[in-house]
């Protein structure tokens, strides 16, 4: 039986970013240096395949520092943690390694600097997301106001409308965030924004590739985890950019083939914490069913690299 023809558009950039690469490397190097078990507070990155792989090597994933023994190293996830967490680790004389993405750390520093200058902080982010919790936790409880939508801006109760600054979660939709920033600037003309966009280069680049790819595709799949903010935003961006069917899949086995019946083109991309092996697995599943032509949709080239903390580069 002849296979139906299919054009597969592959987004570039896609998948792992420098912050995720660094975080995974930190866990692997910590296991090499100190042996198993090494504890990790929260999933190091939001991807089950990656987490399971590190668990097999001896990493123990916990949600709170209180679940860790004093005598084993603990690693803080790439999403960042409130200040209270390293403070508690220090108080217990624990060895800890902070795998917070440097671009998230930049937002933490920014929030502290604005607060030191007497400005009240507003955070654009998703309630309950580990990165939002970590960033808001850089300042005393109640000092940071959270907004999730432009509508939230109207109900903000601020100390002084002329003494405000905002930061954002690094994995948001660029377009949605722009709408919220506009609402903030309209209501509070004196509000101070970041020196440089908080939304990270990887999030922005992956969204731009999806915007370029979406109008060409009958359907689009984003390889990523359901708890991955940047992956979910890619689905939304794809749908908004004109792709009639945009879905998140963790693995090839999650593909809904019935929904894809009759398509002649498919777009594939992946969130920043999805490894290339899972992307290839999805591509192979299409190659099994279709006579496939692959086209790369490249909108940027990434060559960012972040160093791992010095403690892991030192002998002993």
């Amino acid at each position: 039986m002849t296979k139906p023809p299919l054009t597969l558009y592959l987004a570039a950039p896609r998948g792992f970013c420098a912050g995720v690469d660094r975080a995974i490397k930190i866990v692997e190097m910590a296991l090499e240096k100190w042996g198993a078990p090494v504890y990790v507070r929260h999933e190091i990155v939001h991807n089950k395949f990656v987490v399971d792989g590190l668990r097999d090597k001896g990493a123990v994933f916990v949600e709170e520092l209180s679940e860790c023994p004093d005598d084993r190293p603990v690693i803080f996830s790439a999403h960042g943690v409130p200040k209270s967490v390293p403070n508690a680790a220090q108080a217990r004389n624990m060895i800890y390694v902070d795998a917070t993405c440097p671009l998230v750390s930049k937002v933490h520093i920014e929030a502290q600097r604005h607060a030191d200058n007497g400005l009240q902080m507003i955070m654009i982010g998703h309630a309950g997301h580990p990165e939002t919790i970590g960033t808001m936790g850089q300042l005393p409880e109640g000092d940071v106001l959270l907004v999730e939508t432009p509508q939230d801006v109207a109900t903000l109760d601020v100390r002084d409308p002329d003494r405000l600054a905002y930061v954002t979660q690094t994995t948001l939709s660029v377009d949605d965030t722009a709408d919220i920033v506009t609402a903030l600037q309209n209501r509070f003309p004196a509000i101070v924004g970041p020196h440089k966009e908080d939304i990270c280069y990887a999030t922005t680049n992956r969204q731009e590739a999806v915007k370029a790819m979406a109008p060409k595709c009958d359907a689009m799949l984003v390889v990523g985890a359901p708890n991955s903010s940047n992956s979910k935003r890619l689905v939304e961006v794809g749908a908004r950019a004109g792709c009639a069917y945009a879905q998140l899949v963790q693995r090839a086995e999650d593909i809904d083939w019935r929904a894809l019946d009759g398509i002649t083109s498919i777009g594939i991309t992946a969130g920043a914490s999805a490894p290339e092996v899972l992307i290839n697995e999805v591509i192979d599943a299409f190659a099994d069913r279709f006579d496939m032509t692959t086209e790369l949709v490249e909108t940027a080239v990434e060559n960012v690299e972040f160093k791992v903390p010095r403690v892991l580069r030192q002998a002993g």
Side-chain angles (χ1 to χ4, degrees), residues 159-310:
R159 286 194 303 253
D160 179 348
D162 295 325
R163 306 283 293 152
L164 296 173
Y166 73 87
V167 292
T168 81
Q169 192 179 320
T170 62
T171 54
L172 299 178
S173 153
V174 174
D175 297 335
D176 287 349
T177 305
D179 292 343
I180 299 171
V181 169
T182 300
L184 282 169
Q185 290 168 337
N186 287 343
R187 186 168 171 211
F188 308 112
I191 196 165
V192 177
H195 281 313
K196 190 175 174 293
E197 183 67 76
D198 281 343
I199 295 174
C200 86
Y201 77 93
T203 299
T204 304
N205 288 349
R206 278 150 194 70
Q207 288 179 20
E208 287 303 316
V210 162
K211 285 178 190 174
M213 184 173 74
K216 306 172 191 269
C217 306
D218 294 336
M220 189 183 98
L221 297 181
V222 177
V223 182
N227 61 340
S228 161
S229 172
N230 77 85
S231 300
K232 288 198 289 193
R233 300 297 81 77
L234 291 175
V235 176
E236 294 166 5
V237 169
R240 197 178 292 165
C243 187
Y245 178 89
Q247 286 295 316
L248 186 70
V249 293
Q250 295 199 69
R251 309 273 316 243
E253 65 199 30
D254 302 324
I255 299 169
D256 181 354
W257 295 106
R258 279 179 309 183
L260 300 177
D261 197 32
I263 63 165
T264 59
S265 58
I266 184 87
I268 304 287
T269 188
S273 43
E276 193 70 11
V277 62
L278 297 189
I279 303 162
N280 290 335
E281 182 185 277
V282 168
I283 294 168
D284 290 346
F286 279 94
D288 288 344
R289 288 169 173 79
F290 294 92
D291 178 16
M292 207 167 75
T293 308
T294 303
E295 285 189 31
L296 193 67
V297 180
E298 187 169 56
T299 52
V301 176
E302 292 177 352
N303 48 19
V304 179
E305 207 175 311
F306 296 133
K307 276 185 178 166
V308 299
R310 188 178 288 121

Side-chain angles (χ1 to χ4, degrees), residues 41-60:
R41 186 189 176 278
H42 192 68
E43 289 187 348
I44 187 71
V45 297
H46 284 161
N47 188 278
K48 184 181 184 306
F49 181 85
V50 171
V51 168
D52 287 349
L54 292 170
R55 193 181 279 120
D56 290 345
K57 293 178 182 176
V60 178

Side-chain angles (χ1 to χ4, degrees), residues 27-107:
V27 179
E28 290 172 340
M29 289 174 75
L31 284 163
E32 276 171 37
K33 178 165 182 157
W34 292 299
V38 164
Y39 285 75
V40 184
R41 186 189 176 278
H42 192 68
E43 289 187 348
I44 187 71
V45 297
H46 284 161
N47 188 278
K48 184 181 184 306
F49 181 85
V50 171
V51 168
D52 287 349
L54 292 170
R55 193 181 279 120
D56 290 345
K57 293 178 182 176
V60 178
F61 291 89
V62 297
E63 282 307 307
E64 296 300 338
L65 199 66
S66 56
E67 299 169 64
C68 304
D70 292 350
D71 60 350
R72 293 307 301 162
V74 61
I75 295 165
F76 305 145
S77 85
H79 309 98
V81 293
K83 266 191 182 155
S84 56
V85 175
N87 290 349
Q90 270 172 337
R92 289 170 58 187
N93 290 319
M94 298 172 84
I95 294 172
Y96 67 88
V97 185
D98 190 352
T100 300
C101 172
L103 298 176
V104 175
S105 297
K106 175 184 90 70
V107 179

